Amino acid sequence: MSERHAILRPNPLSRWLIHAAVYAIALTMLIPFAWMIATSLKTRGEAISSTPTLLPPGWPWQWQWDNYAQAWETANLGRYYINSAVVAIVVTLLAGVHNALAGFALAKMRFAGRRATFTMLLLVMMLPVQVSFIFAYVICGWLGYVDNYQALIVPFLASAFGIFYMRQAIASVPDDLLDAGRIDGFGDFEIFAYIIVPSIKPAVAALAIFTFIASWNSFFWPLIVIDSNDMATLPLAVASLSSQYYTDSWPVQMAAATIITVPLILVFLLFQRAFVEGITLTGIKG
Amino acid sequence: MSRSQSRNAWAFLAFPLAIIALFVALPSLAGIVLSFFEWSGGGSPRFIGMENYRALASSGPFAPALRNTLVFALVTVPITTGGAFLIAAALNAEWFRGRTTLRTVLFIPTIVSIVAIGFIWRWVLDPSPAGLLNHALEWFGLERSALPDWLGHGPWGLVTIMGVSIWRGLGFAVVLYLAALGGVPRSMYDAAAVDGATSWQTLWHITWPGVRPMTFFLLITGMIGALQVFDIVLVMIGTSATGWTDVLNLYLYREFTLNRLGYSSAIGVIILLLTIIITAIQWRSLGGAEAGA
């Protein structure tokens, strides 16, 4: 990220008001999550009291930590955690490699059909999943994927968006670097592995985070292709909590919401630097 | 342009393109064709021409679902994009304190599962006295009886869905704008300073045009996403959405679960047509050729 602008200089009162407005917006981003965690540690009675308190009553060791155990066990979240993690990790790793290779071909290699391929990808990006999912489901059925990990993994091993994103990032790598590699006797794949990938690491990280989040949070497609309880992913399992077991127990629902939310926030905090750098690299900047 | 490079390029592209063809492109084409058939999933589909579309046009849920989808898209996308621009411009100013922390905080709603978002907001908006929002509004002096049913099927239900949607999407657009703001050339600001422009004039005449390609990207992708709005309604309102809370995609999903696959596909095609029309309008009016990233 380049330097910040010294040029916008409103007067002190305006500055104070702008700070107040932006911090107020940030606060509305946090309050619902604070409320979620607070509620997850209350008893059912405390939660629906008409004089709600921000903190659960009593000392931290008196709070209802048991809600987490209940959410975990009742909804069998351990199993679904593993399902979601396996799917998200495999998809992120493999799709990352496939999208980057395809993006490299489209950005830096000369071959007949390059423009046409790129145009087709842009068109595919506009297709809503609502038009494709019925036959995507039918094809998964033919392949025996329905109700299996494959249904959640194979269709996502490459994506038009991911290829587009990688192509934009790789296009910014100077051609001189590639030529230098060729003089050293590198083949196309070696150039990709030893020159391209190291120079676009932040974009790779950003796409990895996008892919991981999209897979972890994916809701519509699993809802369609997963029927059995065993293969459900975390969002499906947590969604069923509200309808099945605890319609009136906000604390247990909030505990489940916390359980599925926290890992993502941690992943993001860990990688956010690379993520933000990666976005600036992709050529969709001003 | 060696022959080996051409061969390698197709080797790199073959598998990714095959995946996209098999699970996106071909199913989409088949889906469009299916919208002219009647099919319940078993047996062979029966060709019925435009019958699905005719039935759709005269069906009860179609008009409100179409209206709500358009209102949703036309309200949330500009507010999210414009609001994010102003927030990003503030965060980007050198006198602003706490930029990194706020960027992170604003981004959190974007990464959280929609299912968790639904749980949290239904609880915050709960009509019982324990609902946080109503409790807060009462504290500010509003009468409980005068408060709307945030999660009902009236217009307030749509307002709620739009509000949560903006709340969720703001941070993503802020992060993208921050990246774009770093790319506005310093010389343009210096020129404005020489001309004695005020901060607001500079913001409007230099910064805003400077991030045009990003605005273009956010409006186009935002509209495409908004016309497909589905999961936020499902988790906040449920499949029983009706009146002001129904949207095209949820209607499609209900028909799908009833095994009316051709009819369901016809709704998907309507969403696709809306996407194409709105994208084309935006592309023209925003000058896609130069602004396209």
Side-chain angles (χ1 to χ4, degrees), chain A:
Chain A
M1 186 135 325
S2 70
E3 58 201 303
R4 297 165 68 174
H5 298 144
I7 204 71
L8 294 176
R9 291 182 191 284
N11 61 46
L13 176 64
S14 304
R15 282 186 205 185
W16 191 88
L17 288 173
I18 292 168
H19 274 101
V22 176
Y23 274 85
I25 292 169
L27 207 58
T28 66
M29 300 289 166
L30 284 183
I31 287 175
F33 295 108
W35 194 235
M36 163 185 86
I37 294 171
T39 304
S40 74
L41 294 167
K42 293 177 178 177
T43 64
R44 202 182 288 205
E46 286 157 6
I48 58 171
S49 146
S50 58
T51 51
T53 52
L54 188 53
L55 285 177
W59 297 98
W61 57 87
Q62 297 168 316
W63 294 350
Q64 302 299 310
W65 300 97
D66 187 48
N67 290 334
Y68 284 84
Q70 269 196 57
W72 187 267
E73 279 157 26
T74 319
N76 196 11
L77 292 185
R79 165 82 208 201
Y80 305 125
Y81 236 92
I82 294 172
N83 286 350
S84 275
V86 167
V87 169
I89 290 169
V90 173
V91 166
T92 303
L93 292 178
L94 294 180
V97 175
H98 296 146
N99 290 334
L101 275 171
F104 170 53
L106 289 173
K108 292 293 184 191
M109 297 174 78
R110 313 250 159 264
F111 59 95
R114 181 166 90 146
R115 266 188 89 89
T117 310
F118 187 58
T119 311
M120 292 284 280
L121 277 179
L122 293 182
L123 286 177
V124 165
M125 275 170 66
M126 279 184 43
L127 293 172
V129 64
Q130 290 73 38
V131 181
S132 62
F133 80 96
I134 291 175
F135 282 97
Y137 177 86
V138 169
I139 289 171
C140 282
W142 287 340
L143 295 168
Y145 288 177
V146 170
D147 232 4
N148 272 318
Y149 277 147
Q150 285 99 311
L152 300 173
I153 293 174
V154 179
F156 302 98
L157 288 182
S159 75
F161 172 78
I163 294 173
F164 173 67
Y165 190 86
M166 281 290 111
R167 182 215 174 251
Q168 297 299 94
I170 292 170
S172 68
V173 178
D175 284 334
D176 298 351
L177 273 181
L178 278 69
D179 294 338
R182 290 220 171 80
I183 290 168
D184 286 349
F186 280 1
D188 288 321
F189 186 76
E190 286 155 318
I191 288 179
F192 171 78
Y194 299 122
I195 297 177
I196 298 287
V197 172
S199 21
I200 57 155
K201 265 191 199 150
V204 172
L207 184 60
I209 293 182
F210 272 134
T211 313
F212 189 91
I213 292 175
S215 177
W216 183 270
N217 288 342
S218 170
F219 187 58
F220 183 73
W221 179 248
L223 196 63
I224 305 287
V225 289
I226 298 300
D227 298 323
S228 74
N229 247 329
D230 271 1
M231 296 310 301
T233 54
L234 214 38
L236 292 185
V238 171
S240 74
L241 251 190
S242 69
S243 49
Q244 261 179 284
Y245 308 99
Y246 282 101
T247 22
D248 57 341
S249 181
W250 288 109
V252 175
Q253 288 192 31
M254 289 302 118
T258 308
I259 290 172
I260 125 172
T261 299
V262 166
L264 269 191
I265 295 183
L266 290 181
V267 167
F268 175 68
L269 290 180
L270 233 75
F271 293 105
Q272 68 155 326
R273 206 194 155 77
F275 178 70
V276 171
E277 278 175 25
I279 286 173
T280 49
L281 251 184
T282 50
I284 43 177
K285 56 191 173 189

Side-chain angles (χ1 to χ4, degrees), chain B residues 73-220:
Chain B
L74 294 175
V75 169
T76 58
V77 177
I79 292 183
T80 306
T81 309
F85 168 73
L86 292 176
I87 295 171
L91 292 184
N92 199 52
E94 42 118 46
W95 44 264
F96 195 91
R97 288 166 197 273
R99 161 187 150 114
T100 315
T101 314
L102 283 195
R103 187 182 65 199
T104 307
V105 167
L106 289 167
F107 200 72
I108 287 177
T110 299
I111 57 176
V112 171
S113 159
I114 191 70
V115 175
I117 302 267
F119 275 29
I120 297 166
W121 276 101
R122 271 194 292 123
W123 174 223
V124 168
L125 300 171
D126 197 65
S128 77
L132 186 64
L133 181 68
N134 280 359
H135 197 78
L137 291 175
E138 266 187 304
W139 189 82
F140 281 112
L142 277 91
E143 282 293 321
R144 171 162 298 274
S145 55
L147 295 174
D149 180 3
W150 305 109
L151 298 168
H153 296 303
W156 279 104
L158 181 59
V159 171
T160 299
I161 293 166
M162 294 192 295
V164 173
S165 197
I166 293 167
W167 173 85
R168 186 163 196 243
L170 210 49
F172 181 72
V174 167
V175 170
L176 289 183
Y177 264 131
L178 279 174
L181 285 168
V184 179
R186 184 157 201 96
S187 55
M188 301 191 48
Y189 287 99
D190 294 340
V194 171
D195 291 346
T198 68
S199 293
W200 287 112
Q201 283 169 340
T202 310
L203 184 70
W204 180 242
H205 293 294
I206 307 289
T207 315
W208 176 244
V211 294
R212 208 175 134 91
M214 181 55 82
T215 305
F216 180 79
F217 174 83
L218 286 172
L219 288 177
I220 297 263

